[in-house]
Amino acid sequence: MTEDLVWRIAGGSGDGIDSTSQNFAKALMRAGLHVFTHRHYPSRIRGGHTYVEVRASENPVNSRGNGYNCLLALGDSFARNPKENAIYGNEEIKPLAENLDELNEGGIIVYDEGLIDVSEVPNFEARVEENDWNVYPMDLRSLAREHGREVMRNTAGVGVTAALLDIDLKHIKELMRDAMRGDVLEANLDILQEAYDIVSEEEFSHDLRVPTGNHDEDQVLISASACIAYGALDEGCRFISGYPMTPWTEVFTIMSQNLSQFGGISEQVEDEIAAAALAIGASHAGVKSMSGSSGGGFALMGEPLGLAEMTETPVVLIEAMRAGPSTGMPTKPEQSDLESILYSSQGDSNRLVFAPGNAAEAYDQTREAFRLAYEYQIPSIIVIDQKISGEMVNVDESFFDREPNPDLGSVLTEDEIAKAAHHESGKFKRFLHDTENGVSPRTIPGQKGGRFLAAGNEHSEEGHISEDPVNRINQMARRAQKLEAIREDLDTNDASHQTTFGPEDAEYGIITWGSQQGAVMDAVSALNDAGHSVKGLGVSDLMPFPKKDLAAFLESVDEVIVVEMNATGQFRGLARKELGLYGEKMASLLKFDGNPFIPQDIVTAFEETIVEGKDDVSNERTKYLPEAGVIQ
Amino acid sequence: MSVFSAIGEEREIDSNEFTPGIEPQATWCPGCGDFGVLKSLKQAMPEVGRSPDEVLMVTGIGCSGKLSSYFESYGFHTLHGRSLPIARAAKLANPGLEVIAAGGDGDGYGIGGNHFMHTARENHDMTYIVFNNEIFGLTKGQTSPTSPKGHKSKTQPHGSAKDPVRPLSLALASGASYIARTAAVNPNQAKEIIKEAIEHDGFAHIDFLTQCPTWNKDARQYVPYVDIQQSDDYDFDTHDRREAADMMFEAENALHEGQVLTGRFYVDDERPSYQQEKQATGEMPEEPLAERYFDEDYEWERTADSLLERHK
């Protein structure tokens, strides 16, 4: 098997790391490769250690892989004053020093000797020798300065690594021409070519080359955040309201930047309570609407979320999780909001929750979340996290070749209102008890004859506040009935939200949910390649819970590891609650250090616990919880 | 049949149309000032030519929140303090609706204070009626943001150490473009002010003084009142922000001392509404968004047609 290229560019936040890596990934994608990007950044505006990885392979990629093999270490132009070394350490060398741990044996290092003094990097020479790394220092800063400006040293770096890896500059140049104009473009093209030429003439000590790509379809490089935004737009969403918070801001920004072009409205408002309330208000008035937030901001949305449940106002909320509790680690991923998403807000929970496992699923499930929310008049929540929200992956362009669906679902026209049997005089029975699947017909303010009161208090069929016990039971039962109807709808729908992978008759299973799916997929492949018999299940439906799918998977294997990014095994707890058994089959592999699972974490845990029977794993960054709910 | 045929329909409207088959006595105590708001509102509606089907009444929680139950129209009885964000989005979604939001002093000036400030600032074209009885009524008589300093209640047994909120000044500072105070004890003025507020093209705030006979024992707490427009003692230009500010300051001080000054305090006819501002910048379509979903001829654009290019 040809080795995948995993290229890492490191520098300070604000050094253009994001845009440079995106162009690099696109260039490789245009060359026919499958790509995947992974971002790591601090909660700091400028400076601080940040990196982006681009993995490129001739085969489809699901995760960042294990480690990486080519480092481009720029200087950090926003490094703090050297006097602050005592507090922050030597920031100038961090793009090199902080990235060595994960660099694979035999890997390549390109660093900017204009800014980085390797004699200050602890044990550098020894580590290079020990790991057989191939080091190519280059004064990227001077090269950039000579032709243009210092900030263009990332272009010089790209030229150097392109030469080292034998990457054709054609696509990179095309992308530069698309993005830049005039002197800036010329300077960048010159820098790129010169850096490439200088290095091409040298002899290399490494043999890593970019793999050969062979797509037969046009591709787009896209993140789950963009997929959520596009899924929403294609489903007819024309209103968004929000308050900025990392990482939800990505969806909010993409929507805000594009919505007016589609004739929609975006509102940045005073707080998250208002944000969710606005989306509910717009939806009540007949516009497909969404809002969202992250962790603490979503906690504020608990109140309006309950209102949407009680008034049966369709709305889609995004929860882009980050490490908690409280403000936690703003730029680090975690999957620890599951329980709060399922049950936040008072009363019996009545909502839909989906957690897509990759960008394409994010598009599909956003469309599904809107369809179901409007069809069944219930709030839908889409759960993503800091990892999946910004990582870019190539998807076939034809995947997005879909028809829009502006249907408001169970809304009546005025003609239908006039004919409605339960509309005699005065208020319309908006919350009619006696319906087939729990869904009562809906009217929109301004329609003749459709008047009703949407009340956050328990209410009668017309919407009047009511504490009548019989009405209460009828209304609760009807709202709960919708969840059952939706479960059936999902089961009969072609779009299964649970993703299975690996051999069907495998002996062991690995279950995960949401953003960790890719790493589990790669781990399952690696384990089968190593001769084990393992299959995987990525769960996306969290409410209504896919009991049948999960039970069938659990029945079919001897033992299961549940992989999730939190400290308490929240999904395993949910599965136990929903299924009421299989506790002895489910162990948890947990990680909550701010870094997502890499496939090797899961491979190691499987081999040590299931194969060797240890009751813990040697990786100190992961935590192993043996079987759940077994009475000792 | 058109999509929202109730909107803009020309016909004679009777104030009785705004009476639902449910009686306010269910919640409101005998002698409650809230009856006065309801009555004035019902009387104002035929005069502004709006029918029940084209009005969206959005209310908060508390005695005042029940207004949406006792006033016949499309209604949304929301959460404590949250009427404004819901109301303003409904107005953006369908500007043809007559959107009226209502709540109490705790609802509007306490828990919903942030929304009040920002809705006024954005100058949404809507009417906001705050039932101000200086007390939490439905939770049985606790100190509210407008209760006078020193007010004793079960939750403030030592007497409130806080100065009350100044609703008029707060509305002005926040950017409301129509600000008035009226009282349930003055139904004719109240009707006129509600009418003006509804017809005003921008955020109209009415601080509506409503007596609470149960928890503020003096059921005549706002009597006698003075109508500043009818009195020779108060001559100022309601279109002048500075003069209005001075007058509000005086009226708010006077209320602390037991003198009730009512009337219109500030009117800005020049300032465009938020909807107009947003349409001017291209952030909002000219035609009501809500209509689009019913328009079978409308062509819904796909993201694949315009947005994927940048991802290639």
Side-chain angles (χ1 to χ4, degrees):
Chain A
M1 197 178 101
T2 324
E3 195 177 3
D4 289 354
L5 168 68
V6 188
W7 178 87
R8 181 185 283 195
I9 180 172
S13 289
D15 272 335
I17 304 290
D18 249 5
S19 56
T20 308
S21 58
Q22 220 180 94
N23 274 351
F24 190 74
K26 271 188 187 175
L28 296 174
M29 177 181 82
R30 286 184 181 191
L33 287 154
H34 292 272
V35 292
F36 187 97
T37 74
H38 163 75
R39 286 192 309 173
H40 173 106
Y41 59 105
S43 307
R44 191 173 142 184
I45 297 165
R46 286 181 179 276
H49 172 230
T50 176
Y51 69 78
V52 179
E53 270 177 18
V54 178
R55 181 177 175 192
S57 171
E58 56 177 315
N59 306 308
V61 276
N62 306 308
S63 76
R64 60 186 286 210
N66 301 313
Y68 71 105
N69 49 26
C70 178
L71 171 66
L72 170 58
L74 302 173
D76 179 351
S77 57
F78 300 102
R80 293 176 214 255
N81 188 325
K83 284 180 190 162
E84 296 174 26
N85 267 1
I87 307 165
Y88 302 108
N90 181 347
E91 293 221 320
E92 273 177 358
I93 60 162
K94 280 188 178 175
L96 177 59
E98 299 268 313
N99 291 293
L100 298 176
D101 287 350
E102 288 157 341
L103 181 59
N104 293 347
E105 214 165 283
I108 298 170
I109 297 174
V110 175
Y111 71 89
D112 187 351
E113 59 177 350
L115 276 155
I116 297 169
D117 179 359
V118 283
S119 68
E120 295 194 14
V121 178
N123 300 323
F124 186 68
E125 293 302 333
R127 293 187 72 178
V128 167
E129 200 167 319
E130 185 188 328
N131 290 289
D132 202 16
W133 289 331
N134 304 279
V135 186
Y136 302 94
M138 178 114 174
D139 191 347
L140 304 173
R141 176 156 79 160
S142 301
L143 184 65
R145 260 195 199 145
E146 241 170 72
H147 294 269
R149 289 186 293 128
E150 189 177 321
V151 69
M152 297 174 185
R153 64 188 192 286
N154 44 25
T155 303
V158 170
V160 173
T161 50
L164 290 171
L165 300 164
D166 198 19
I167 295 170
D168 188 345
L169 291 184
K170 185 178 78 174
H171 297 299
I172 299 174
K173 286 181 173 173
E174 264 173 25
L175 284 157
M176 283 181 166
R177 288 194 187 99
D178 290 346
M180 307 175 203
R181 293 275 172 279
D183 291 349
V184 176
L185 172 65
E186 291 308 318
N188 270 290
L189 289 173
D190 287 351
I191 292 167
L192 182 73
Q193 191 66 51
E194 178 154 348
Y196 187 89
D197 291 344
I198 294 171
V199 179
S200 298
E201 284 165 20
E202 287 180 16
E203 287 208 4
F204 307 152
S205 55
H206 68 277
D207 54 7
L208 179 70
R209 296 290 180 272
V210 67
T212 311
N214 51 8
H215 291 306
D216 42 18
E217 268 209 74
D218 289 334
Q219 302 288 312
V220 289
L221 183 70
I222 203 159
S223 67
S225 291
C227 283
I228 286 173
Y230 297 176
L233 287 167
D234 284 344
E235 203 61 25
C237 171
R238 290 296 179 270
F239 187 94
I240 191 166
S241 45
Y243 187 89
M245 185 166 183
T246 304
W248 138 258
T249 311
E250 289 179 14
V251 175
F252 187 35
T253 305
I254 298 166
M255 284 297 279
S256 301
Q257 284 172 342
N258 296 305
L259 205 45
S260 65
Q261 177 192 327
F262 288 78
I265 299 173
S266 165
E267 283 286 289
Q268 182 180 318
V269 297
E270 59 269 24
D271 57 40
E272 284 87 352
I273 299 175
L278 262 96
I280 290 167
S283 187
H284 180 72
V287 173
K288 284 187 161 180
S289 307
M290 75 192 287
S291 183
S293 193
S294 292
F298 189 81
L300 294 184
M301 291 185 169
E303 194 196 60
L305 173 62
L307 179 70
E309 291 180 334
M310 188 51 128
T311 59
E312 299 175 61
T313 311
V315 70
V316 174
L317 301 178
I318 310 301
E319 220 278 50
M321 300 182 290
R322 60 192 219 180
S326 187
T327 31
M329 297 196 284
T331 62
K332 298 287 177 278
E334 210 167 81
Q335 296 180 297
S336 53
D337 297 353
L338 174 61
E339 286 174 347
S340 82
I341 291 165
L342 293 171
Y343 311 117
S344 69
S345 192
Q346 62 277 34
D348 292 308
S349 190
N350 197 252
R351 67 196 65 168
L352 310 182
V353 184
F354 302 105
N358 59 44
E361 287 185 6
Y363 176 87
D364 271 343
Q365 286 172 28
T366 302
R367 295 202 61 163
E368 196 77 325
F370 269 96
R371 179 183 76 79
L372 295 167
Y374 281 81
E375 190 66 44
Y376 293 88
Q377 304 166 11
I378 188 169
S380 282
I381 301 168
I382 298 163
V383 188
I384 53 169
D385 58 37
Q386 187 275 344
K387 174 189 181 296
I388 195 174
S389 69
E391 72 191 8
M392 305 273 217
V393 64
N394 64 305
V395 178
D396 290 349
E397 193 187 350
S398 60
F399 174 82
F400 296 97
D401 193 11
R402 316 279 190 95
E403 287 311 305
N405 173 30
D407 192 3
L408 276 181
S410 40
V411 169
L412 301 184
T413 62
E414 287 194 351
D415 275 335
E416 291 166 335
I417 294 170
K419 287 177 204 146
H422 58 286
H423 174 54
E424 289 133 17
S425 61
K427 276 191 161 72
F428 177 82
K429 287 187 179 170
R430 163 74 182 89
F431 305 101
L432 188 72
H433 292 156
D434 187 17
T435 66
E436 197 183 318
N437 55 1
V439 181
S440 318
R442 180 172 167 230
T443 59
I444 305 290
Q447 285 184 314
K448 208 169 194 176
R451 285 196 306 278
F452 70 98
L453 177 64
N457 287 58
E458 187 58 276
H459 43 261
S460 67
E461 292 182 299
E462 293 85 0
H464 285 303
I465 296 167
S466 166
E467 294 186 353
D468 174 67
V470 175
N471 174 70
R472 165 70 173 177
I473 290 166
N474 285 336
Q475 294 289 19
M476 287 294 283
R478 185 177 57 75
R479 288 190 294 264
Q481 192 191 345
K482 290 200 270 187
L483 275 179
E484 287 163 35
I486 291 165
R487 183 71 265 159
E488 256 173 58
D489 185 324
L490 285 165
D491 285 343
T492 52
N493 197 330
D494 285 344
S496 172
H497 295 178
Q498 281 56 258
T499 311
T500 47
F501 35 92
E504 218 171 285
D505 59 351
E507 205 175 335
Y508 299 103
I510 302 181
I511 294 176
T512 191
W513 62 281
S515 67
Q516 304 307 301
Q517 183 176 296
V520 173
M521 277 176 134
D522 282 358
V524 166
S525 301
L527 286 166
N528 283 296
D529 286 349
H532 301 295
S533 174
V534 190
K535 63 178 176 178
L537 178 71
V539 180
S540 296
D541 296 350
L542 302 172
M543 191 181 277
F545 194 77
K547 286 184 193 172
K548 271 193 230 161
D549 294 348
L550 219 75
F553 186 87
L554 283 158
E555 280 295 338
S556 71
V557 290
D558 290 347
E559 276 180 74
V560 164
I561 299 180
V562 182
V563 173
E564 52 185 324
M565 274 200 81
N566 59 57
T568 51
Q570 295 188 16
F571 181 85
R572 185 176 74 167
L574 174 67
R576 284 278 293 148
K577 170 177 177 278
E578 291 286 346
L579 300 171
L581 63 172
Y582 303 111
E584 75 286 359
K585 273 194 179 178
M586 285 188 280
S588 275
L589 180 67
L590 307 169
K591 194 172 184 185
F592 44 94
D593 67 348
N595 296 296
F597 281 98
I598 57 171
Q600 191 57 48
D601 291 332
I602 301 156
V603 169
T604 305
F606 182 89
E607 287 178 338
E608 294 187 354
T609 59
I610 291 188
V611 180
E612 294 169 27
K614 289 189 194 163
D615 53 11
D616 209 347
V617 285
S618 57
N619 184 350
E620 63 189 22
R621 289 176 184 244
T622 58
K623 176 176 150 191
Y624 185 73
L625 284 185
E627 62 270 36
V630 175
I631 298 161
Q632 301 286 338
Chain B
M1 209 182 263
S2 70
V3 179
F4 299 111
S5 69
I7 296 175
E9 189 193 19
E10 300 265 340
R11 64 173 178 87
E12 280 288 308
I13 291 155
D14 187 323
S15 66
N16 287 325
E17 291 180 43
F18 297 91
T19 304
I22 178 168
E23 289 304 314
Q25 279 78 4
T27 301
W28 294 345
C29 308
C32 173
D34 294 2
F35 287 102
V37 186
L38 179 62
K39 191 175 169 198
S40 306
L41 187 64
K42 282 182 184 175
Q43 286 176 346
M45 296 316 293
E47 297 192 24
V48 295
R50 290 294 211 167
S51 71
D53 277 340
E54 58 184 327
V55 176
L56 177 62
M57 170 66 72
V58 188
T59 56
I61 295 293
C63 297
S64 60
K66 300 289 177 71
L67 182 67
S68 51
S69 298
Y70 310 140
F71 178 79
E72 180 66 21
S73 69
Y74 275 98
F76 205 144
H77 184 203
T78 68
L79 301 163
H80 196 41
R82 313 300 172 206
S83 63
L84 288 175
I86 285 171
R88 72 202 213 217
K91 184 72 183 181
L92 290 171
N94 191 349
L97 291 174
E98 188 59 63
V99 176
I100 301 171
D105 41 279
D107 187 271
Y109 305 142
I111 192 166
N114 193 20
H115 308 311
F116 177 45
M117 184 170 102
H118 288 276
T119 311
R121 167 188 166 227
E122 290 170 359
N123 198 33
H124 290 267
D125 179 16
M126 53 184 279
T127 303
Y128 185 38
I129 302 170
V130 182
F131 295 44
N132 183 359
N133 58 9
E134 303 183 351
I135 197 86
F136 280 111
L138 203 57
T139 49
K140 304 198 171 180
Q142 296 81 7
T143 307
S144 99
T146 50
S147 299
K149 192 170 184 176
H151 180 264
K152 284 189 180 177
S153 67
K154 283 181 194 163
T155 53
Q156 301 262 275
H158 304 287
S160 168
K162 301 172 192 179
D163 271 335
V165 160
R166 293 170 166 266
L168 305 172
S169 301
L170 187 61
L172 186 74
S174 304
S177 54
Y178 179 94
I179 303 165
R181 169 176 272 171
T182 187
V185 288
N186 186 2
N188 292 331
Q189 184 204 39
K191 185 193 80 179
E192 283 308 310
I193 281 182
I194 290 173
K195 209 175 116 186
E196 280 181 17
I198 290 176
E199 284 171 344
H200 175 74
D201 194 10
F203 185 74
H205 167 236
I206 304 171
D207 185 57
F208 207 121
L209 301 173
T210 57
Q211 67 280 8
C212 178
T214 304
W215 299 107
N216 262 345
K217 289 294 180 197
D218 180 5
R220 296 176 62 76
Q221 75 202 84
Y222 298 124
V223 181
Y225 62 87
V226 175
D227 181 337
I228 52 173
Q229 265 79 35
Q230 301 297 321
S231 165
D232 294 336
D233 298 341
Y234 304 96
D235 180 31
F236 73 105
D237 180 0
T238 54
H239 290 80
D240 186 300
R241 203 176 169 111
R242 191 175 292 266
E243 286 188 30
D246 288 343
M247 191 59 224
M248 288 175 187
F249 186 74
E250 190 176 334
E252 282 160 344
N253 281 350
L255 191 66
H256 303 169
E257 288 148 17
Q259 191 196 3
V260 184
L261 304 184
T262 63
R264 73 191 65 74
F265 285 80
Y266 183 62
V267 182
D268 180 354
D269 300 321
E270 304 293 314
R271 188 178 167 201
S273 69
Y274 186 58
Q275 167 197 340
Q276 289 165 333
E277 299 273 19
K278 267 185 96 80
Q279 283 174 340
T281 60
E283 282 184 72
M284 181 172 166
E286 295 288 333
E287 72 285 358
L289 249 183
E291 278 184 7
R292 188 166 296 170
Y293 295 88
F294 295 88
D295 181 356
E296 285 179 9
D297 296 328
Y298 184 81
E299 288 203 15
W300 291 80
E301 196 191 338
R302 305 178 324 149
T303 55
D305 295 333
S306 55
L307 299 182
L308 286 186
E309 198 55 40
R310 74 187 67 155
H311 296 279
K312 288 180 186 170

